[in-house]
């Protein structure tokens, strides 16, 4: 764990998160051992993909590896808002978390970001900024 710098595990998680984001919006395809990140599965009637799970895991992983687990507490939102981060990074982080939740519960969210490559790139940028903000700036 280091402040204002990325550790090796943060860089790995960031790159994996970017790949997962690109797969989620349909810009890229990532496959290994006959398993693609775009492969889907259903849990409790909610269908999602491996890429979504990886996206969530990379964001959570960066929070954990930087000892920022107070963000998971009930006062996490206040902690984020009261931090020294610029408001743009705070909103990017909150927006990324909201989009990840909305992705599986509101099909219009995923449809919107998949509707054109431009919105797909915006989604990838949002996820990347959130991961950098939580991993380096916070």
């Amino acid at each position: 764990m280091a402040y204002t710098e990325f550790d090796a595990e943060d860089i790995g998680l960031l790159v994996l998160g970017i790949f997962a984001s690109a797969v989620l919006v349909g810009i890229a395809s990532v496959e290994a051992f006959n398993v693609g990140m775009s492969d889907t599965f259903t849990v409790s009637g909610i269908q999602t993909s491996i890429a979504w799970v990886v996206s969530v895991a990379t964001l959570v992983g960066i929070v954990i590896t930087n000892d920022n687990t107070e963000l998971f507490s009930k006062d996490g939102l206040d902690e984020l808002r009261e931090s020294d981060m610029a408001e743009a990074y705070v909103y990017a982080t909150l927006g990324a978390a909201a989009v990840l939740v909305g992705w599986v519960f509101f099909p219009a969210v995923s449809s919107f970001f998949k509707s054109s490559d431009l919105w797909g790139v915006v989604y990838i940028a949002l996820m990347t900024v959130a991961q950098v903000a939580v991993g380096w700036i916070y």
Side-chain angles (χ1 to χ4, degrees), residues 42-101:
T42 304
V43 175
S44 298
I46 298 172
Q47 185 175 16
T48 191
S49 67
I50 294 171
W52 181 84
V53 172
V54 171
S55 289
V56 171
T58 56
L59 185 58
V60 170
I62 288 175
V63 169
I64 291 170
T65 61
N66 286 285
D67 291 336
N68 294 330
T69 53
E70 72 274 1
L71 294 176
F72 299 135
S73 71
K74 67 178 183 172
D75 298 325
L77 181 58
D78 293 332
E79 294 279 338
L80 190 61
R81 286 184 176 155
E82 294 171 6
S83 70
D84 292 335
M85 272 198 316
E87 282 187 38
Y89 295 119
V90 171
Y91 291 127
T93 304
L94 294 174
V99 168
L100 282 172
V101 170

Side-chain angles (χ1 to χ4, degrees), residues 1 7 13 17-18 28 39 47 62-63 88 112 114 120 124:
M1 175 202 71
D7 300 327
L13 289 169
I18 292 169
D39 292 351
Q47 185 175 16
I62 288 175
V63 169
F112 173 75
K114 291 178 181 180
I124 295 167

